[in-house]
Amino acid sequence: AVEMARVFLGRGEGENGVKWYLSAADAFRDETERVGALAAAADILSLEEGGRERAVSLYREALTRYPGNLHESEIRRKLKALVER
C-alpha cells in the first residue's frame, strides 16, 4: 500500500488516492479488504505534508472498528511511528 501511496503522491493525486481507498473501504464486504483500504488511505496521508492527523485517525479507526484484524500489527507499528514523530 505504501508503494501505491507513493504513486498517487508522485502524480500529485494524494487526495484522490485517499478518496478512492475510502470509497473502496466502504464498498468491500470483506473485513480484511476494508481494513487494508483504510490503512492504504492512511499510508497516503502519512506521507503527505499536513496529513499526519488524518492518518493517525484512520489507523485508529481501523484498529477500533476491526479489532484483531489481519493488518493489526502493521497498523500498530505505523501508528506508533506517526505518534512518536
Side-chain angles (χ1 to χ4, degrees):
V2 173
E3 293 81 23
M4 283 304 298
R6 292 186 196 288
V7 169
F8 278 111
L9 290 171
R11 294 180 180 169
E13 298 179 1
E15 190 58 37
N16 288 336
V18 171
K19 288 177 185 175
W20 188 88
Y21 279 116
L22 292 178
S23 292
D26 288 339
F28 286 135
R29 292 182 182 203
D30 181 79
E31 185 176 290
T32 301
E33 290 175 332
R34 282 182 174 206
V35 174
L38 282 173
D43 289 347
I44 292 171
L45 290 165
S46 72
L47 298 173
E48 206 168 35
E49 189 174 324
R52 183 183 163 280
E53 284 185 37
R54 283 180 66 201
V56 167
S57 176
L58 285 176
Y59 286 139
R60 286 184 175 151
E61 178 182 346
L63 293 173
T64 56
R65 284 180 63 187
Y66 307 101
N69 69 73
L70 180 66
H71 302 285
E72 185 172 353
S73 63
E74 180 182 357
I75 291 170
R76 286 190 184 282
R77 180 184 56 77
K78 291 176 179 181
L79 179 59
K80 182 180 178 188
L82 274 181
V83 170
E84 291 178 350
R85 249 202 249 176

Coordinates of all heavy atoms in Angstrom, one line a residue:
A1 N 0.8 -1.2 0.0 CA 0.0 0.0 0.0 C 0.9 1.3 0.0 O 0.5 2.2 -0.6 CB -0.9 0.0 1.2
V2 N 2.0 1.2 0.7 CA 2.9 2.4 0.7 C 3.4 2.7 -0.7 O 3.5 3.8 -1.1 CB 4.0 2.1 1.7 CG1 5.0 3.3 1.6 CG2 3.5 2.0 3.1
E3 N 3.6 1.6 -1.5 CA 4.1 1.8 -2.9 C 3.1 2.6 -3.7 O 3.4 3.5 -4.4 CB 4.5 0.5 -3.5 CG 5.7 -0.2 -2.9 CD 5.3 -1.0 -1.6 OE1 4.1 -1.3 -1.5 OE2 6.2 -1.2 -0.8
M4 N 1.8 2.2 -3.5 CA 0.7 2.8 -4.2 C 0.5 4.3 -3.7 O 0.2 5.2 -4.5 CB -0.6 2.1 -4.1 CG -0.7 0.8 -5.0 SD -0.5 1.2 -6.7 CE -1.8 2.3 -7.1
A5 N 0.7 4.5 -2.4 CA 0.7 5.8 -1.9 C 1.7 6.7 -2.6 O 1.4 7.8 -3.0 CB 0.9 5.8 -0.4
R6 N 2.9 6.2 -2.8 CA 3.9 7.0 -3.4 C 3.6 7.3 -4.9 O 3.9 8.3 -5.4 CB 5.3 6.2 -3.4 CG 5.8 6.2 -1.9 CD 7.2 5.6 -1.9 NE 7.6 5.2 -0.6 CZ 7.9 6.0 0.4 NH1 7.9 7.3 0.2 NH2 8.3 5.5 1.6
V7 N 2.9 6.3 -5.6 CA 2.4 6.6 -6.9 C 1.4 7.7 -7.0 O 1.6 8.6 -7.8 CB 1.8 5.3 -7.6 CG1 1.1 5.6 -8.9 CG2 2.9 4.2 -7.7
F8 N 0.4 7.6 -6.1 CA -0.6 8.7 -6.1 C 0.1 10.1 -5.8 O -0.2 11.1 -6.4 CB -1.7 8.5 -5.0 CG -2.7 7.5 -5.5 CD1 -2.9 6.3 -5.0 CD2 -3.6 7.9 -6.5 CE1 -3.9 5.4 -5.4 CE2 -4.7 7.1 -6.9 CZ -4.8 5.8 -6.4
L9 N 1.0 10.1 -4.8 CA 1.6 11.3 -4.4 C 2.6 11.8 -5.5 O 2.7 13.0 -5.7 CB 2.4 11.1 -3.1 CG 1.5 10.9 -1.9 CD1 2.4 10.5 -0.7 CD2 0.7 12.2 -1.6
G10 N 3.2 10.9 -6.2 CA 4.1 11.3 -7.3 C 3.4 12.0 -8.4 O 4.0 12.8 -9.1
R11 N 2.2 11.6 -8.6 CA 1.3 12.2 -9.6 C 0.6 13.5 -9.1 O -0.2 14.1 -9.9 CB 0.3 11.2 -10.1 CG 0.8 10.0 -10.8 CD -0.3 9.1 -11.2 NE 0.2 8.0 -11.9 CZ -0.6 6.9 -12.2 NH1 -1.9 6.9 -11.9 NH2 -0.1 5.9 -12.8
G12 N 0.8 13.8 -7.8 CA 0.1 15.0 -7.3 C -1.3 14.7 -7.0 O -2.1 15.6 -7.0
E13 N -1.7 13.4 -6.8 CA -3.1 13.0 -6.6 C -3.3 12.3 -5.3 O -4.1 11.4 -5.2 CB -3.5 12.0 -7.8 CG -3.4 12.6 -9.1 CD -3.8 11.6 -10.2 OE1 -4.1 10.5 -9.9 OE2 -3.7 12.0 -11.4
G14 N -2.6 12.8 -4.3 CA -2.7 12.2 -3.0 C -4.2 12.1 -2.5 O -4.7 11.1 -2.0
E15 N -4.9 13.3 -2.6 CA -6.2 13.3 -2.1 C -7.2 12.4 -2.9 O -8.1 11.8 -2.3 CB -6.7 14.8 -2.1 CG -8.1 15.0 -1.4 CD -8.0 14.5 0.1 OE1 -7.0 14.7 0.8 OE2 -9.1 14.0 0.6
N16 N -6.9 12.3 -4.2 CA -7.7 11.4 -5.0 C -7.5 10.0 -4.6 O -8.4 9.2 -4.5 CB -7.4 11.5 -6.5 CG -7.9 12.8 -7.1 OD1 -8.9 13.4 -6.5 ND2 -7.3 13.3 -8.1
G17 N -6.3 9.6 -4.2 CA -6.0 8.3 -3.7 C -6.7 8.0 -2.4 O -7.2 6.9 -2.2
V18 N -6.6 9.0 -1.5 CA -7.3 8.8 -0.2 C -8.8 8.6 -0.5 O -9.4 7.6 0.1 CB -7.1 10.0 0.7 CG1 -8.0 10.0 1.9 CG2 -5.6 10.1 1.1
K19 N -9.4 9.4 -1.3 CA -10.9 9.2 -1.6 C -11.1 7.9 -2.2 O -12.1 7.2 -1.9 CB -11.3 10.3 -2.5 CG -11.4 11.7 -1.9 CD -11.8 12.8 -2.9 CE -11.8 14.1 -2.3 NZ -12.1 15.2 -3.2
W20 N -10.3 7.4 -3.1 CA -10.5 6.1 -3.8 C -10.5 5.0 -2.7 O -11.3 4.1 -2.7 CB -9.5 5.9 -4.9 CG -9.8 4.7 -5.7 CD1 -10.5 4.6 -6.8 CD2 -9.3 3.4 -5.4 NE1 -10.6 3.3 -7.2 CE2 -9.8 2.6 -6.4 CE3 -8.5 2.8 -4.5 CZ2 -9.6 1.2 -6.5 CZ3 -8.2 1.4 -4.5 CH2 -8.8 0.6 -5.5
Y21 N -9.4 5.0 -1.9 CA -9.3 3.9 -0.9 C -10.4 4.0 0.1 O -10.9 2.9 0.6 CB -8.0 4.0 -0.2 CG -6.9 3.4 -1.0 CD1 -5.8 4.1 -1.5 CD2 -6.9 2.0 -1.3 CE1 -4.8 3.5 -2.2 CE2 -5.9 1.4 -2.0 CZ -4.8 2.2 -2.5 OH -3.8 1.6 -3.2
L22 N -10.9 5.2 0.5 CA -12.0 5.3 1.5 C -13.3 4.8 0.8 O -14.1 4.1 1.5 CB -12.1 6.7 2.0 CG -11.0 7.2 2.9 CD1 -11.2 8.6 3.3 CD2 -10.8 6.3 4.1
S23 N -13.5 5.1 -0.4 CA -14.7 4.5 -1.1 C -14.6 3.0 -1.2 O -15.6 2.3 -1.0 CB -14.8 5.1 -2.5 OG -15.1 6.5 -2.5
A24 N -13.4 2.5 -1.5 CA -13.2 1.1 -1.6 C -13.5 0.4 -0.2 O -14.2 -0.6 -0.2 CB -11.8 0.7 -2.1
A25 N -13.1 1.1 0.8 CA -13.3 0.5 2.2 C -14.8 0.4 2.5 O -15.2 -0.6 3.1 CB -12.6 1.4 3.2
D26 N -15.5 1.4 2.0 CA -17.0 1.4 2.2 C -17.7 0.3 1.4 O -18.7 -0.3 1.8 CB -17.6 2.7 1.9 CG -17.3 3.8 3.0 OD1 -17.0 3.4 4.1 OD2 -17.4 5.0 2.6
A27 N -17.1 0.0 0.2 CA -17.7 -0.9 -0.7 C -17.4 -2.4 -0.4 O -18.2 -3.3 -0.7 CB -17.3 -0.6 -2.2
F28 N -16.2 -2.6 0.1 CA -15.8 -4.0 0.4 C -16.7 -4.7 1.4 O -17.0 -4.0 2.4 CB -14.3 -4.1 0.8 CG -13.3 -3.9 -0.2 CD1 -12.2 -3.0 0.0 CD2 -13.4 -4.5 -1.5 CE1 -11.3 -2.8 -0.9 CE2 -12.4 -4.3 -2.4 CZ -11.4 -3.4 -2.2
R29 N -17.0 -5.9 1.2 CA -17.8 -6.7 2.2 C -16.8 -7.4 3.1 O -17.2 -7.6 4.3 CB -18.7 -7.7 1.5 CG -19.8 -7.0 0.7 CD -20.7 -8.0 0.1 NE -21.7 -7.3 -0.7 CZ -22.9 -7.9 -1.0 NH1 -23.2 -9.1 -0.6 NH2 -23.8 -7.2 -1.7
D30 N -15.7 -7.7 2.6 CA -14.7 -8.5 3.4 C -14.0 -7.5 4.4 O -13.5 -6.5 3.9 CB -13.7 -9.1 2.4 CG -12.7 -10.0 3.2 OD1 -13.0 -11.1 3.6 OD2 -11.5 -9.4 3.4
E31 N -14.0 -7.9 5.6 CA -13.4 -7.1 6.6 C -11.9 -6.8 6.4 O -11.4 -5.7 6.6 CB -13.6 -7.7 8.0 CG -13.1 -6.9 9.2 CD -13.4 -7.6 10.5 OE1 -14.6 -7.6 10.9 OE2 -12.4 -8.0 11.2
T32 N -11.2 -7.9 6.0 CA -9.7 -7.7 5.7 C -9.5 -6.7 4.6 O -8.6 -5.9 4.7 CB -9.1 -9.1 5.3 OG1 -9.3 -10.0 6.4 CG2 -7.6 -9.0 5.1
E33 N -10.3 -6.7 3.6 CA -10.1 -5.8 2.5 C -10.5 -4.4 2.9 O -9.9 -3.4 2.5 CB -11.0 -6.2 1.3 CG -10.5 -7.4 0.6 CD -11.4 -7.9 -0.5 OE1 -12.6 -7.7 -0.4 OE2 -10.9 -8.5 -1.4
R34 N -11.5 -4.2 3.8 CA -11.9 -2.9 4.3 C -10.7 -2.3 5.1 O -10.4 -1.2 4.9 CB -13.1 -3.0 5.2 CG -14.4 -3.1 4.5 CD -15.5 -3.2 5.5 NE -16.8 -3.2 4.7 CZ -17.9 -2.7 5.2 NH1 -18.0 -2.3 6.4 NH2 -19.0 -2.7 4.4
V35 N -10.2 -3.1 6.0 CA -9.1 -2.6 6.8 C -7.9 -2.3 6.0 O -7.2 -1.3 6.2 CB -8.7 -3.7 7.9 CG1 -7.4 -3.2 8.7 CG2 -9.8 -3.9 8.8
G36 N -7.6 -3.1 5.0 CA -6.5 -2.8 4.1 C -6.7 -1.5 3.3 O -5.7 -0.7 3.1
A37 N -7.9 -1.2 2.9 CA -8.2 0.0 2.2 C -8.1 1.2 3.2 O -7.5 2.3 2.8 CB -9.6 0.0 1.6
L38 N -8.6 1.1 4.4 CA -8.4 2.2 5.4 C -6.9 2.5 5.6 O -6.5 3.6 5.7 CB -9.1 1.8 6.7 CG -10.6 2.0 6.8 CD1 -11.1 1.4 8.1 CD2 -11.0 3.4 6.6
A39 N -6.2 1.4 5.8 CA -4.7 1.5 6.0 C -4.0 2.2 4.8 O -3.1 3.0 5.0 CB -4.1 0.2 6.3
A40 N -4.4 1.8 3.6 CA -3.8 2.4 2.4 C -4.1 3.9 2.3 O -3.2 4.7 2.0 CB -4.3 1.7 1.2
A41 N -5.3 4.3 2.7 CA -5.6 5.7 2.7 C -4.8 6.4 3.8 O -4.2 7.5 3.5 CB -7.1 5.9 3.0
A42 N -4.6 5.8 4.9 CA -3.8 6.4 6.0 C -2.3 6.4 5.5 O -1.6 7.4 5.8 CB -3.9 5.6 7.3
D43 N -1.9 5.4 4.8 CA -0.5 5.4 4.3 C -0.2 6.7 3.4 O 0.8 7.3 3.5 CB -0.2 4.2 3.5 CG -0.1 2.9 4.3 OD1 0.0 3.0 5.6 OD2 -0.1 1.8 3.7
I44 N -1.2 7.0 2.5 CA -1.0 8.1 1.7 C -0.9 9.4 2.5 O -0.1 10.2 2.3 CB -2.2 8.2 0.7 CG1 -2.2 7.1 -0.3 CG2 -2.2 9.6 -0.1 CD1 -3.4 7.0 -1.2
L45 N -1.9 9.5 3.5 CA -1.9 10.7 4.3 C -0.6 10.8 5.1 O -0.1 11.9 5.4 CB -3.1 10.7 5.2 CG -4.4 10.9 4.5 CD1 -5.6 10.5 5.4 CD2 -4.6 12.3 4.0
S46 N -0.1 9.7 5.6 CA 1.1 9.7 6.4 C 2.3 10.3 5.7 O 3.3 10.8 6.3 CB 1.4 8.4 7.0 OG 1.9 7.5 6.0
L47 N 2.3 10.2 4.3 CA 3.4 10.7 3.5 C 3.2 12.1 3.0 O 4.1 12.7 2.4 CB 3.6 9.7 2.3 CG 4.0 8.3 2.7 CD1 4.0 7.4 1.4 CD2 5.4 8.2 3.4
E48 N 2.0 12.6 3.1 CA 1.6 13.9 2.6 C 1.8 14.9 3.7 O 1.5 14.7 4.9 CB 0.1 13.8 2.2 CG -0.3 14.8 1.2 CD -1.7 14.5 0.6 OE1 -2.6 14.0 1.4 OE2 -1.9 14.7 -0.5
E49 N 2.3 16.1 3.3 CA 2.5 17.2 4.2 C 1.2 17.6 4.8 O 0.2 17.8 4.0 CB 3.2 18.3 3.5 CG 3.6 19.4 4.5 CD 4.4 20.5 3.8 OE1 5.2 20.2 2.9 OE2 4.2 21.7 4.2
G50 N 1.1 17.7 6.1 CA -0.2 18.0 6.8 C -1.2 16.9 6.9 O -2.3 17.2 7.3
G51 N -0.8 15.7 6.5 CA -1.8 14.6 6.6 C -1.7 13.7 7.8 O -2.4 12.8 8.0
R52 N -0.7 14.1 8.7 CA -0.4 13.2 9.9 C -1.7 12.9 10.7 O -1.9 11.8 11.1 CB 0.7 13.8 10.7 CG 1.1 13.0 11.9 CD 2.2 13.8 12.7 NE 2.3 13.2 14.0 CZ 1.5 13.4 15.0 NH1 0.5 14.2 14.9 NH2 1.7 12.8 16.2
E53 N -2.4 14.0 11.1 CA -3.5 13.8 12.0 C -4.6 12.9 11.4 O -5.2 12.1 12.1 CB -4.1 15.2 12.4 CG -3.3 15.9 13.4 CD -4.0 17.2 13.9 OE1 -5.2 17.2 14.0 OE2 -3.3 18.2 14.1
R54 N -4.9 13.1 10.1 CA -5.9 12.3 9.4 C -5.4 10.8 9.3 O -6.2 9.9 9.5 CB -6.2 12.8 8.0 CG -7.1 14.0 8.1 CD -7.4 14.6 6.7 NE -8.2 13.6 5.9 CZ -8.3 13.6 4.6 NH1 -7.6 14.6 3.9 NH2 -9.0 12.8 3.9
A55 N -4.1 10.7 9.1 CA -3.6 9.3 9.0 C -3.7 8.6 10.4 O -4.2 7.5 10.4 CB -2.1 9.3 8.6
V56 N -3.4 9.3 11.4 CA -3.5 8.7 12.8 C -5.0 8.4 13.0 O -5.3 7.3 13.6 CB -3.0 9.7 13.9 CG1 -3.4 9.3 15.3 CG2 -1.5 9.8 13.8
S57 N -5.9 9.2 12.7 CA -7.3 9.0 12.9 C -7.8 7.7 12.1 O -8.5 6.9 12.7 CB -8.1 10.2 12.4 OG -9.5 10.0 12.5
L58 N -7.3 7.6 10.9 CA -7.7 6.4 10.1 C -7.1 5.1 10.6 O -7.8 4.1 10.7 CB -7.4 6.6 8.6 CG -8.2 7.5 7.8 CD1 -7.7 7.7 6.4 CD2 -9.7 7.1 7.8
Y59 N -5.8 5.2 11.0 CA -5.2 4.0 11.6 C -6.0 3.6 12.9 O -6.3 2.4 13.1 CB -3.8 4.2 12.0 CG -2.8 4.2 10.8 CD1 -1.8 5.2 10.7 CD2 -2.9 3.3 9.7 CE1 -0.9 5.2 9.7 CE2 -2.0 3.4 8.7 CZ -1.0 4.3 8.7 OH -0.1 4.3 7.6
R60 N -6.3 4.5 13.7 CA -7.1 4.2 14.9 C -8.5 3.7 14.6 O -9.0 2.8 15.3 CB -7.2 5.5 15.8 CG -5.9 5.8 16.5 CD -5.9 7.0 17.4 NE -4.7 7.1 18.1 CZ -4.2 8.3 18.6 NH1 -4.9 9.4 18.4 NH2 -3.1 8.3 19.2
E61 N -9.1 4.3 13.6 CA -10.4 3.8 13.2 C -10.3 2.3 12.8 O -11.2 1.5 13.2 CB -11.0 4.6 12.1 CG -12.3 4.1 11.6 CD -12.8 4.9 10.4 OE1 -12.3 6.0 10.1 OE2 -13.8 4.4 9.7
A62 N -9.3 2.0 12.0 CA -9.2 0.6 11.6 C -9.0 -0.4 12.8 O -9.5 -1.5 12.8 CB -8.0 0.5 10.7
L63 N -8.2 0.1 13.8 CA -8.0 -0.7 15.0 C -9.2 -0.9 15.9 O -9.5 -2.0 16.4 CB -6.8 -0.2 15.8 CG -5.5 -0.2 15.1 CD1 -4.4 0.6 16.0 CD2 -5.0 -1.7 14.9
T64 N -10.0 0.2 16.0 CA -11.1 0.1 16.9 C -12.4 -0.5 16.2 O -13.1 -1.3 16.9 CB -11.5 1.5 17.4 OG1 -11.8 2.4 16.4 CG2 -10.4 2.1 18.3
R65 N -12.6 -0.3 15.0 CA -13.7 -0.9 14.3 C -13.5 -2.3 13.9 O -14.5 -3.1 13.8 CB -14.0 -0.1 13.0 CG -14.7 1.2 13.2 CD -15.0 2.0 12.0 NE -16.0 1.3 11.1 CZ -16.3 1.7 9.9 NH1 -15.7 2.7 9.4 NH2 -17.1 1.0 9.2
Y66 N -12.3 -2.7 13.7 CA -11.9 -4.1 13.3 C -10.8 -4.7 14.2 O -9.7 -5.0 13.7 CB -11.5 -4.1 11.8 CG -12.6 -3.4 11.0 CD1 -12.4 -2.1 10.5 CD2 -13.7 -4.1 10.6 CE1 -13.3 -1.5 9.7 CE2 -14.7 -3.5 9.8 CZ -14.5 -2.2 9.3 OH -15.4 -1.6 8.6
P67 N -11.1 -4.9 15.5 CA -10.0 -5.4 16.4 C -9.7 -6.8 16.0 O -10.5 -7.6 15.5 CB -10.7 -5.4 17.8 CG -12.2 -5.3 17.5 CD -12.4 -4.6 16.2
G68 N -8.4 -7.1 16.1 CA -7.9 -8.4 15.8 C -7.8 -8.7 14.3 O -7.6 -9.9 13.9
N69 N -7.8 -7.7 13.5 CA -7.8 -7.9 12.0 C -6.4 -8.4 11.6 O -5.4 -8.2 12.3 CB -8.2 -6.7 11.3 CG -7.3 -5.5 11.4 OD1 -6.2 -5.6 10.8 ND2 -7.6 -4.5 12.2
L70 N -6.3 -8.9 10.4 CA -5.1 -9.4 9.8 C -4.0 -8.3 9.7 O -2.8 -8.6 9.9 CB -5.4 -9.9 8.4 CG -4.2 -10.5 7.6 CD1 -3.7 -11.8 8.3 CD2 -4.6 -10.8 6.2
H71 N -4.3 -7.1 9.5 CA -3.4 -6.0 9.4 C -3.0 -5.3 10.7 O -2.2 -4.3 10.7 CB -3.9 -4.9 8.4 CG -4.3 -5.4 7.1 ND1 -3.4 -5.8 6.1 CD2 -5.5 -5.7 6.5 CE1 -4.0 -6.2 5.0 NE2 -5.3 -6.2 5.3
E72 N -3.5 -5.8 11.8 CA -3.4 -5.1 13.1 C -1.9 -4.8 13.5 O -1.6 -3.6 13.8 CB -4.1 -5.8 14.2 CG -4.0 -5.1 15.5 CD -4.9 -5.7 16.6 OE1 -5.6 -6.7 16.3 OE2 -4.8 -5.2 17.7
S73 N -1.0 -5.7 13.4 CA 0.3 -5.5 13.9 C 1.0 -4.4 13.0 O 1.7 -3.5 13.5 CB 1.1 -6.8 13.9 OG 1.3 -7.3 12.6
E74 N 0.8 -4.5 11.7 CA 1.4 -3.5 10.8 C 0.8 -2.1 11.0 O 1.5 -1.1 11.1 CB 1.1 -3.9 9.3 CG 1.7 -2.9 8.3 CD 1.4 -3.3 6.9 OE1 0.8 -4.4 6.7 OE2 1.8 -2.5 6.0
I75 N -0.5 -2.0 11.2 CA -1.1 -0.7 11.5 C -0.6 -0.2 12.8 O -0.3 1.0 12.9 CB -2.7 -0.9 11.5 CG1 -3.2 -1.2 10.1 CG2 -3.3 0.4 12.1 CD1 -4.7 -1.6 10.1
R76 N -0.5 -1.0 13.9 CA 0.0 -0.5 15.2 C 1.4 0.0 15.0 O 1.8 1.0 15.6 CB 0.0 -1.6 16.2 CG -1.4 -1.9 16.7 CD -1.4 -2.9 17.9 NE -2.7 -3.2 18.3 CZ -3.6 -2.4 19.0 NH1 -3.1 -1.2 19.3 NH2 -4.8 -2.8 19.3
R77 N 2.2 -0.7 14.2 CA 3.6 -0.2 14.0 C 3.6 1.2 13.3 O 4.4 2.1 13.7 CB 4.4 -1.3 13.2 CG 5.8 -0.9 12.9 CD 6.5 -1.9 12.0 NE 5.8 -2.1 10.7 CZ 5.9 -1.3 9.6 NH1 6.5 -0.1 9.7 NH2 5.2 -1.5 8.5
K78 N 2.8 1.3 12.3 CA 2.8 2.6 11.6 C 2.2 3.7 12.4 O 2.7 4.8 12.4 CB 1.9 2.4 10.3 CG 2.6 1.6 9.3 CD 1.7 1.4 8.0 CE 2.4 0.5 7.0 NZ 1.5 0.4 5.8
L79 N 1.2 3.4 13.2 CA 0.6 4.4 14.1 C 1.6 4.8 15.2 O 1.7 6.0 15.4 CB -0.7 3.8 14.8 CG -1.4 4.6 15.8 CD1 -1.9 5.9 15.1 CD2 -2.6 3.9 16.4
K80 N 2.3 3.9 15.7 CA 3.3 4.2 16.7 C 4.4 5.2 16.1 O 4.8 6.1 16.8 CB 4.0 2.9 17.3 CG 5.0 3.2 18.3 CD 5.6 1.9 18.8 CE 6.7 2.2 19.9 NZ 7.5 1.1 20.3
A81 N 4.8 4.8 14.9 CA 5.8 5.7 14.3 C 5.3 7.1 14.0 O 6.1 8.1 14.2 CB 6.3 5.0 13.0
L82 N 4.1 7.2 13.7 CA 3.5 8.5 13.4 C 3.3 9.3 14.7 O 3.6 10.5 14.8 CB 2.1 8.4 12.8 CG 2.1 8.3 11.3 CD1 0.6 8.3 10.8 CD2 2.8 9.5 10.6
V83 N 2.9 8.7 15.7 CA 2.6 9.3 17.0 C 3.9 9.8 17.7 O 4.0 10.8 18.3 CB 1.8 8.4 18.0 CG1 1.8 9.0 19.4 CG2 0.4 8.2 17.4
E84 N 5.0 9.0 17.5 CA 6.3 9.3 18.1 C 7.1 10.3 17.3 O 8.1 10.8 17.7 CB 7.1 8.0 18.2 CG 6.6 7.1 19.3 CD 7.3 5.8 19.4 OE1 8.2 5.5 18.5 OE2 7.1 5.1 20.3
R85 N 6.6 10.7 16.1 CA 7.3 11.7 15.2 C 7.3 13.1 15.9 O 6.4 13.5 16.5 CB 6.5 11.8 13.9 CG 7.3 11.3 12.8 CD 6.8 11.9 11.5 NE 6.1 10.9 10.7 CZ 5.5 11.2 9.5 NH1 5.5 12.5 9.1 NH2 5.0 10.3 8.8

